[in-house]
Amino acid sequence: MSSNSNHNPFEDTSNEMARKVRYYRRQLAIAKTEVEKQMFARNQDMFLLPDEQKTIQDLEHTLQQTLQTIINSGQPMPESVYEKRKADFTKRMQSMITFSFEIGNQDGDAQVFDYLFINDQIVKTTYMRQSPVNSKTIVVQSMNKSDFVKVLGQIDLVDWFRRYKPKGFDRQSSKKVYWSVRLRWKARGYKVFLIEGFNDFPYNFEKLLTLIDQI
């Protein structure tokens, strides 16, 4: 009996699809990084241009289609390290106690948005860093914690942390715009997740600004 008699062609198909997934993931990561470089070159722009947005969306769509093909075939797709971290982070957000977003001048004033989660309710406090006594606190009516966590998951802060944080403060300019995102959750004590930037913004930073504006 030949060595090919036990060959499973379906396994070849599955392996090929897995290779495609890895390829599209790499291409997507490269595209995001390139777009961020272009945003920085445009005087620290926070927003994607339409063609940049389309490039990202097309790659994301192709990747999701390929993943769905594997799922429909019944063959498991091994999780990447990134996917495992993302799944773990999603669980952590369920026990999130506070979320804070700050943007402004690193050496001067900045606007701070603090969110306190009490059960499924959100209490929002806003103030300027240099004058916290003039803060304003409201109970958010337009969104609850579950909704907030869902939208935050779509922004994918783990992706920011993975690709964006390593370059951190590498890019400098006279226009010193500082921003930070900080999450605190309860898990064997209190844990903190922090990302901060200096004149440089992740490719979908606009999504976070939209979320902050909504609540």
Side-chain angles (χ1 to χ4, degrees):
M1 184 179 294
S2 69
S3 59
N4 292 327
S5 61
N6 295 323
H7 179 69
N8 184 350
F10 187 78
E11 184 177 346
D12 283 348
T13 303
S14 178
N15 290 338
E16 179 60 27
M17 294 303 294
R19 283 192 290 271
K20 285 185 177 181
V21 167
R22 289 191 289 270
Y23 170 77
Y24 291 132
R25 281 175 178 160
R26 287 194 299 271
Q27 293 303 111
L28 185 57
I30 291 170
K32 290 174 180 177
T33 300
E34 183 59 33
V35 160
E36 288 170 351
K37 290 179 181 178
Q38 296 301 320
M39 290 165 65
F40 179 77
R42 293 195 299 270
N43 196 25
Q44 297 85 56
D45 195 357
M46 298 181 191
F47 309 106
L48 293 175
L49 296 178
D51 61 320
E52 294 170 338
Q53 189 172 43
K54 185 177 186 305
T55 296
I56 299 295
Q57 289 176 342
D58 287 349
L59 283 168
E60 288 177 334
H61 179 68
T62 302
L63 174 59
Q64 289 305 314
Q65 279 190 319
T66 309
L67 283 169
Q68 191 60 49
T69 300
I70 294 178
I71 293 171
N72 293 343
S73 73
Q75 292 296 307
M77 177 67 192
E79 281 188 323
S80 65
V81 173
Y82 158 65
E83 287 174 322
K84 291 178 181 178
R85 289 177 180 170
K86 184 176 178 180
D88 181 57
F89 185 72
T90 300
K91 291 180 182 178
R92 291 176 183 177
M93 285 197 295
Q94 304 304 319
S95 61
M96 183 167 56
I97 300 169
T98 62
F99 175 90
S100 181
F101 173 65
E102 179 177 341
I103 186 166
N105 191 308
Q106 188 193 32
D107 302 320
D109 213 353
Q111 191 166 13
V112 181
F113 303 82
D114 285 339
Y115 301 88
L116 172 66
F117 304 103
I118 303 174
N119 296 322
D120 203 33
Q121 195 173 56
I122 305 174
V123 178
K124 176 185 178 181
T125 301
T126 57
Y127 56 92
M128 300 304 292
R129 188 203 298 146
Q130 292 186 340
S131 53
V133 293
N134 297 323
S135 64
K136 178 182 178 181
T137 299
I138 63 169
V139 176
V140 176
Q141 302 297 327
S142 60
M143 186 176 290
N144 57 28
K145 179 185 176 181
S146 300
D147 296 330
F148 185 91
V149 168
K150 182 178 180 180
V151 176
L152 203 59
Q154 293 170 346
I155 294 173
D156 196 357
L157 296 179
V158 174
D159 189 35
W160 287 19
F161 191 89
R162 178 181 63 146
R163 295 180 312 95
Y164 177 82
K165 188 171 182 177
K167 67 190 178 190
F169 292 87
D170 287 348
R171 295 173 181 163
Q172 306 286 320
S173 78
S174 58
K175 183 181 177 182
K176 298 180 179 179
V177 177
Y178 170 79
W179 63 269
S180 69
V181 171
R182 185 187 306 267
L183 287 77
R184 188 166 176 254
W185 66 92
K186 189 173 183 180
R188 296 183 180 179
Y190 294 98
K191 307 294 184 181
V192 175
F193 177 92
L194 171 67
I195 306 176
E196 53 189 358
F198 194 46
N199 305 313
D200 200 4
F201 305 93
Y203 74 99
N204 60 350
F205 193 72
E206 185 177 4
K207 288 186 177 181
L208 178 60
L209 296 180
T210 299
L211 174 61
I212 298 300
D213 186 58
Q214 286 177 344
I215 54 174

